PDB file of all heavy atoms in Angstrom:
ATOM      1  N   SER T  65      14.305  19.075   6.393  1.00  0.00           N
ATOM      2  CA  SER T  65      14.041  20.346   5.729  1.00  0.00           C
ATOM      3  C   SER T  65      14.988  21.411   6.267  1.00  0.00           C
ATOM      4  O   SER T  65      14.777  21.955   7.355  1.00  0.00           O
ATOM      5  CB  SER T  65      12.590  20.775   5.961  1.00  0.00           C
ATOM      6  OG  SER T  65      12.388  22.058   5.421  1.00  0.00           O
ATOM      7  N   ARG T  67      15.315  24.274   5.180  1.00  0.00           N
ATOM      8  CA  ARG T  67      14.705  25.598   5.071  1.00  0.00           C
ATOM      9  C   ARG T  67      13.678  25.851   6.178  1.00  0.00           C
ATOM     10  O   ARG T  67      13.133  26.943   6.268  1.00  0.00           O
ATOM     11  CB  ARG T  67      14.039  25.765   3.704  1.00  0.00           C
ATOM     12  CG  ARG T  67      15.067  25.771   2.572  1.00  0.00           C
ATOM     13  CD  ARG T  67      14.444  26.113   1.262  1.00  0.00           C
ATOM     14  NE  ARG T  67      13.561  25.041   0.828  1.00  0.00           N
ATOM     15  CZ  ARG T  67      12.721  25.110  -0.183  1.00  0.00           C
ATOM     16  NH1 ARG T  67      12.610  26.224  -0.865  1.00  0.00           N
ATOM     17  NH2 ARG T  67      11.979  24.088  -0.510  1.00  0.00           N
ATOM     18  N   SER T  68      13.421  24.853   7.001  1.00  0.00           N
ATOM     19  CA  SER T  68      12.416  25.024   8.061  1.00  0.00           C
ATOM     20  C   SER T  68      12.940  25.961   9.146  1.00  0.00           C
ATOM     21  O   SER T  68      14.148  26.054   9.399  1.00  0.00           O
ATOM     22  CB  SER T  68      12.037  23.673   8.675  1.00  0.00           C
ATOM     23  OG  SER T  68      13.123  23.124   9.380  1.00  0.00           O
ATOM     24  N   LYS T  69      12.021  26.633   9.795  1.00  0.00           N
ATOM     25  CA  LYS T  69      12.396  27.561  10.874  1.00  0.00           C
ATOM     26  C   LYS T  69      13.074  26.824  12.011  1.00  0.00           C
ATOM     27  O   LYS T  69      14.049  27.304  12.577  1.00  0.00           O
ATOM     28  CB  LYS T  69      11.146  28.284  11.389  1.00  0.00           C
ATOM     29  CG  LYS T  69      10.568  29.262  10.415  1.00  0.00           C
ATOM     30  CD  LYS T  69       9.300  29.884  10.954  1.00  0.00           C
ATOM     31  CE  LYS T  69       8.652  30.765   9.910  1.00  0.00           C
ATOM     32  NZ  LYS T  69       7.350  31.266  10.336  1.00  0.00           N
ATOM     33  N   ILE T  70      12.568  25.639  12.339  1.00  0.00           N
ATOM     34  CA  ILE T  70      13.134  24.892  13.467  1.00  0.00           C
ATOM     35  C   ILE T  70      14.557  24.431  13.161  1.00  0.00           C
ATOM     36  O   ILE T  70      15.414  24.425  14.044  1.00  0.00           O
ATOM     37  CB  ILE T  70      12.214  23.716  13.904  1.00  0.00           C
ATOM     38  CG1 ILE T  70      12.665  23.153  15.247  1.00  0.00           C
ATOM     39  CG2 ILE T  70      12.144  22.637  12.844  1.00  0.00           C
ATOM     40  CD1 ILE T  70      12.538  24.092  16.401  1.00  0.00           C
ATOM     41  N   PHE T  71      14.833  24.066  11.919  1.00  0.00           N
ATOM     42  CA  PHE T  71      16.190  23.671  11.541  1.00  0.00           C
ATOM     43  C   PHE T  71      17.152  24.826  11.788  1.00  0.00           C
ATOM     44  O   PHE T  71      18.218  24.653  12.375  1.00  0.00           O
ATOM     45  CB  PHE T  71      16.240  23.232  10.075  1.00  0.00           C
ATOM     46  CG  PHE T  71      17.616  22.847   9.611  1.00  0.00           C
ATOM     47  CD1 PHE T  71      18.089  21.559   9.804  1.00  0.00           C
ATOM     48  CD2 PHE T  71      18.450  23.775   8.986  1.00  0.00           C
ATOM     49  CE1 PHE T  71      19.374  21.199   9.379  1.00  0.00           C
ATOM     50  CE2 PHE T  71      19.725  23.424   8.566  1.00  0.00           C
ATOM     51  CZ  PHE T  71      20.182  22.131   8.768  1.00  0.00           C
ATOM     52  N   LYS T  72      16.758  26.014  11.342  1.00  0.00           N
ATOM     53  CA  LYS T  72      17.612  27.188  11.509  1.00  0.00           C
ATOM     54  C   LYS T  72      17.763  27.554  12.987  1.00  0.00           C
ATOM     55  O   LYS T  72      18.841  27.937  13.434  1.00  0.00           O
ATOM     56  CB  LYS T  72      17.050  28.352  10.710  1.00  0.00           C
ATOM     57  CG  LYS T  72      17.144  28.103   9.213  1.00  0.00           C
ATOM     58  CD  LYS T  72      16.429  29.155   8.409  1.00  0.00           C
ATOM     59  CE  LYS T  72      16.497  28.792   6.930  1.00  0.00           C
ATOM     60  NZ  LYS T  72      15.665  29.636   6.114  1.00  0.00           N
ATOM     61  N   LYS T  73      16.682  27.411  13.726  1.00  0.00           N
ATOM     62  CA  LYS T  73      16.707  27.756  15.153  1.00  0.00           C
ATOM     63  C   LYS T  73      17.608  26.799  15.940  1.00  0.00           C
ATOM     64  O   LYS T  73      18.364  27.225  16.816  1.00  0.00           O
ATOM     65  CB  LYS T  73      15.290  27.717  15.711  1.00  0.00           C
ATOM     66  CG  LYS T  73      15.190  28.116  17.155  1.00  0.00           C
ATOM     67  CD  LYS T  73      13.743  28.083  17.624  1.00  0.00           C
ATOM     68  CE  LYS T  73      13.660  28.435  19.094  1.00  0.00           C
ATOM     69  NZ  LYS T  73      12.270  28.364  19.583  1.00  0.00           N
ATOM     70  N   LEU T  74      17.534  25.500  15.628  1.00  0.00           N
ATOM     71  CA  LEU T  74      18.327  24.510  16.364  1.00  0.00           C
ATOM     72  C   LEU T  74      19.815  24.651  16.090  1.00  0.00           C
ATOM     73  O   LEU T  74      20.644  24.356  16.953  1.00  0.00           O
ATOM     74  CB  LEU T  74      17.863  23.090  16.024  1.00  0.00           C
ATOM     75  CG  LEU T  74      16.488  22.699  16.537  1.00  0.00           C
ATOM     76  CD1 LEU T  74      16.075  21.337  15.976  1.00  0.00           C
ATOM     77  CD2 LEU T  74      16.463  22.680  18.056  1.00  0.00           C
ATOM     78  N   ASP T  75      20.173  25.046  14.852  1.00  0.00           N
ATOM     79  CA  ASP T  75      21.572  25.248  14.478  1.00  0.00           C
ATOM     80  C   ASP T  75      22.448  24.061  14.890  1.00  0.00           C
ATOM     81  O   ASP T  75      23.424  24.214  15.621  1.00  0.00           O
ATOM     82  CB  ASP T  75      22.098  26.551  15.083  1.00  0.00           C
ATOM     83  CG  ASP T  75      23.429  26.969  14.473  1.00  0.00           C
ATOM     84  OD1 ASP T  75      23.657  26.680  13.284  1.00  0.00           O
ATOM     85  OD2 ASP T  75      24.256  27.553  15.210  1.00  0.00           O
ATOM     86  N   PHE T  78      23.574  18.178  11.642  1.00  0.00           N
ATOM     87  CA  PHE T  78      22.865  16.909  11.598  1.00  0.00           C
ATOM     88  C   PHE T  78      23.759  15.757  11.153  1.00  0.00           C
ATOM     89  O   PHE T  78      23.522  14.615  11.521  1.00  0.00           O
ATOM     90  CB  PHE T  78      21.627  17.011  10.694  1.00  0.00           C
ATOM     91  CG  PHE T  78      20.452  17.625  11.396  1.00  0.00           C
ATOM     92  CD1 PHE T  78      20.384  18.993  11.590  1.00  0.00           C
ATOM     93  CD2 PHE T  78      19.432  16.832  11.885  1.00  0.00           C
ATOM     94  CE1 PHE T  78      19.322  19.559  12.257  1.00  0.00           C
ATOM     95  CE2 PHE T  78      18.358  17.396  12.557  1.00  0.00           C
ATOM     96  CZ  PHE T  78      18.298  18.760  12.738  1.00  0.00           C
ATOM     97  N   TYR T  93      10.588  17.428  17.075  1.00  0.00           N
ATOM     98  CA  TYR T  93      10.313  18.549  16.172  1.00  0.00           C
ATOM     99  C   TYR T  93       9.887  18.026  14.800  1.00  0.00           C
ATOM    100  O   TYR T  93      10.689  17.992  13.858  1.00  0.00           O
ATOM    101  CB  TYR T  93      11.553  19.439  16.018  1.00  0.00           C
ATOM    102  CG  TYR T  93      12.095  19.983  17.308  1.00  0.00           C
ATOM    103  CD1 TYR T  93      13.259  19.458  17.872  1.00  0.00           C
ATOM    104  CD2 TYR T  93      11.441  21.022  17.966  1.00  0.00           C
ATOM    105  CE1 TYR T  93      13.766  19.971  19.061  1.00  0.00           C
ATOM    106  CE2 TYR T  93      11.941  21.541  19.161  1.00  0.00           C
ATOM    107  CZ  TYR T  93      13.103  21.007  19.698  1.00  0.00           C
ATOM    108  OH  TYR T  93      13.593  21.513  20.874  1.00  0.00           O
ATOM    109  N   PRO T  94       8.631  17.619  14.662  1.00  0.00           N
ATOM    110  CA  PRO T  94       8.173  17.034  13.389  1.00  0.00           C
ATOM    111  C   PRO T  94       8.291  17.984  12.198  1.00  0.00           C
ATOM    112  O   PRO T  94       8.344  17.526  11.053  1.00  0.00           O
ATOM    113  CB  PRO T  94       6.719  16.658  13.652  1.00  0.00           C
ATOM    114  CG  PRO T  94       6.374  17.129  15.002  1.00  0.00           C
ATOM    115  CD  PRO T  94       7.598  17.639  15.675  1.00  0.00           C
ATOM    116  N   ASP T  95       8.375  19.284  12.444  1.00  0.00           N
ATOM    117  CA  ASP T  95       8.511  20.226  11.331  1.00  0.00           C
ATOM    118  C   ASP T  95       9.882  20.143  10.660  1.00  0.00           C
ATOM    119  O   ASP T  95      10.105  20.798   9.639  1.00  0.00           O
ATOM    120  CB  ASP T  95       8.261  21.664  11.801  1.00  0.00           C
ATOM    121  CG  ASP T  95       6.787  21.937  12.034  1.00  0.00           C
ATOM    122  OD1 ASP T  95       5.944  21.170  11.518  1.00  0.00           O
ATOM    123  OD2 ASP T  95       6.467  22.901  12.746  1.00  0.00           O
ATOM    124  N   LEU T  96      10.777  19.341  11.207  1.00  0.00           N
ATOM    125  CA  LEU T  96      12.071  19.122  10.555  1.00  0.00           C
ATOM    126  C   LEU T  96      11.929  18.276   9.283  1.00  0.00           C
ATOM    127  O   LEU T  96      12.808  18.285   8.434  1.00  0.00           O
ATOM    128  CB  LEU T  96      13.029  18.408  11.512  1.00  0.00           C
ATOM    129  CG  LEU T  96      13.669  19.260  12.593  1.00  0.00           C
ATOM    130  CD1 LEU T  96      14.394  18.375  13.607  1.00  0.00           C
ATOM    131  CD2 LEU T  96      14.630  20.265  11.976  1.00  0.00           C
ATOM    132  N   ILE T  97      10.824  17.567   9.165  1.00  0.00           N
ATOM    133  CA  ILE T  97      10.647  16.634   8.050  1.00  0.00           C
ATOM    134  C   ILE T  97      10.098  17.353   6.827  1.00  0.00           C
ATOM    135  O   ILE T  97       9.133  18.105   6.917  1.00  0.00           O
ATOM    136  CB  ILE T  97       9.692  15.488   8.446  1.00  0.00           C
ATOM    137  CG1 ILE T  97      10.252  14.733   9.637  1.00  0.00           C
ATOM    138  CG2 ILE T  97       9.467  14.546   7.274  1.00  0.00           C
ATOM    139  CD1 ILE T  97       9.316  13.694  10.174  1.00  0.00           C
TER     140      ILE T  97
END
Side-chain angles (χ1 to χ4, degrees):
S65 175
R67 294 188 291 170
S68 67
K69 290 177 186 174
I70 192 65
F71 178 86
K72 292 172 183 171
K73 183 179 178 182
L74 291 173
D75 193 32
F78 278 78
Y93 303 105
D95 285 342
L96 283 170
I97 301 174

